[in-house]
Amino acid sequence: MKFTSTAGYVAAPDLAVAVNAAVALERPLLVKGEPGTGKTELARQVAGSLGLPLLEWHVKSTTRAQQGLYEYDAVSRLRDSQLGDDRVHDVRNYLRKGKLWEAFTAPQRVVLLIDEVDKADIEFPNDLLQELDRMEFHVYETGETIRALHRPVVIITSNNEKDLPDAFLRRCFFHYIRFPDPETLAAIVRVHLPGIKERLLATALAEFFEIRETPGLKKKPSTSEMLDWLKLILAEDLSPEDLKRDGRHLLPKLHGALLKNEQDVHLFERLAFMARGQR
């Protein structure tokens, strides 16, 4: 089974090579890139393309590595013991399986997404080294070892918010999703908005990349924001001429879909003021 672009996802050739290499090497695929470049969606598309179930573990700032293995609910067990519940005699009734446990014990191979690993504490990746490397972990409360019945395809995403430990990186196959070029972005748009007219698409792309490359922009708009912008353009039935900006109106139409902070809005307002002053 080989991963390629799907009906709903345009994968650059180097991304497809990275996915297939990670699968062949049986190593986690670490995917980095700007927010909105399709890192999370990649795991869903890989699962669909390979015909495998998907398990998603979305990491937060408070997430601990142990939660991916299992959690022991001692509070519930204490409460049940006070109530005389017979469940207290079996500690397994108080073990909550994490996503790694589910992936390891699944009846068939699965795709496991560990999403935004860099959101957690810096020690989070290190705490998963042995489990991801050996594909097993120990349950201290029962004395058993949980081993993977089928080695899962592990896809780990990062927004590059913090550096990851070298020991963790060494165990991964790495790929950085570059922002798509105009041709690739046009192909992505056609997948999501198949009815869009080519002239409107060409004008919108030109305006979008001009906005992205504006010096001083704090947050560059992403692929997902480009798609939102185009959906609004189609909903408002705007023409290519409506999208073109001049010295008086440097803010793009429906700019709230593209510019996500007041600094960038003020930047375009200042550029418009300066352009008017030069006339």
Side-chain angles (χ1 to χ4, degrees), residues 105-163:
T105 57
Q108 67 177 103
R109 195 179 196 187
V110 302
V111 174
L112 172 62
L113 168 65
I114 304 177
D115 197 31
E116 297 189 327
V117 68
D118 53 330
K119 276 190 174 180
D121 184 83
I122 189 62
E123 291 303 319
F124 178 87
N126 279 334
D127 292 342
L128 290 176
L129 285 179
Q130 297 301 321
E131 289 77 8
L132 291 176
D133 200 28
R134 298 180 181 178
M135 286 289 148
E136 65 178 38
F137 63 89
H138 188 70
V139 182
Y140 295 98
E141 288 76 8
T142 64
E144 62 184 323
T145 298
I146 304 299
R147 295 184 177 88
L149 299 176
H150 309 279
R151 193 179 187 96
V153 177
V154 181
I155 297 178
I156 304 170
T157 72
S158 168
N159 286 328
N160 241 354
E161 292 183 4
K162 62 170 70 89
D163 292 333

Side-chain angles (χ1 to χ4, degrees), residues 1-146:
M1 295 185 292
K2 294 287 186 181
F3 171 71
T4 59
S5 294
T6 67
Y9 191 88
V10 177
D14 59 341
L15 176 57
V17 168
V19 171
N20 292 319
V23 172
L25 292 172
E26 295 187 331
R27 287 191 176 276
L29 174 64
L30 174 61
V31 184
K32 290 187 178 183
E34 292 180 30
T37 50
K39 300 184 297 297
T40 302
E41 184 61 24
L42 171 65
R44 297 166 183 156
Q45 296 296 327
V46 168
S49 176
L50 302 182
L52 302 177
L54 173 67
L55 293 176
E56 300 186 27
W57 183 16
H58 298 284
V59 177
K60 302 178 181 178
S61 60
T62 56
T63 302
R64 295 177 293 106
Q66 181 64 33
Q67 293 171 314
L69 308 179
Y70 69 93
E71 290 185 281
Y72 171 49
D73 191 353
V75 174
S76 292
R77 193 180 191 192
L78 175 61
R79 184 192 62 231
D80 288 348
S81 68
Q82 294 170 339
L83 296 174
D85 195 321
D86 289 339
R87 297 174 71 248
V88 299
H89 300 299
D90 188 352
V91 69
R92 291 179 177 81
N93 291 325
Y94 303 94
L95 297 180
R96 298 175 182 172
K97 296 180 181 180
K99 294 299 181 182
L100 265 73
W101 189 326
E102 292 180 26
F104 287 1
T105 57
Q108 67 177 103
R109 195 179 196 187
V110 302
V111 174
L112 172 62
L113 168 65
I114 304 177
D115 197 31
E116 297 189 327
V117 68
D118 53 330
K119 276 190 174 180
D121 184 83
I122 189 62
E123 291 303 319
F124 178 87
N126 279 334
D127 292 342
L128 290 176
L129 285 179
Q130 297 301 321
E131 289 77 8
L132 291 176
D133 200 28
R134 298 180 181 178
M135 286 289 148
E136 65 178 38
F137 63 89
H138 188 70
V139 182
Y140 295 98
E141 288 76 8
T142 64
E144 62 184 323
T145 298
I146 304 299

Side-chain angles (χ1 to χ4, degrees), residues 211 217 219 221 251-252 255-261 264-265 268:
I211 292 165
L217 200 64
K219 184 198 176 300
L251 269 174
H255 64 268
L258 298 176
L259 306 178
K260 296 303 177 75
N261 59 68
D264 289 341
V265 173
F268 279 89

Side-chain angles (χ1 to χ4, degrees), residues 155-221:
I155 297 178
I156 304 170
T157 72
S158 168
N159 286 328
N160 241 354
E161 292 183 4
K162 62 170 70 89
D163 292 333
L164 299 174
D166 289 344
F168 180 78
L169 296 174
R170 191 168 62 248
R171 288 166 168 81
C172 298
F173 190 94
F174 172 76
H175 183 76
Y176 183 85
I177 298 182
R178 295 179 178 84
F179 194 82
D181 57 37
E183 289 185 6
T184 304
L185 188 54
I188 293 171
V189 171
R190 293 187 190 101
V191 165
H192 291 272
L193 303 169
I196 191 168
K197 294 180 180 178
E198 288 300 314
R199 185 163 164 263
L200 179 62
L201 174 58
T203 303
L205 284 174
E207 291 294 321
F208 175 79
F209 276 99
E210 187 176 326
I211 292 165
R212 250 188 79 86
E213 293 162 11
T214 300
L217 200 64
K218 184 177 181 181
K219 184 198 176 300
K220 295 182 177 181

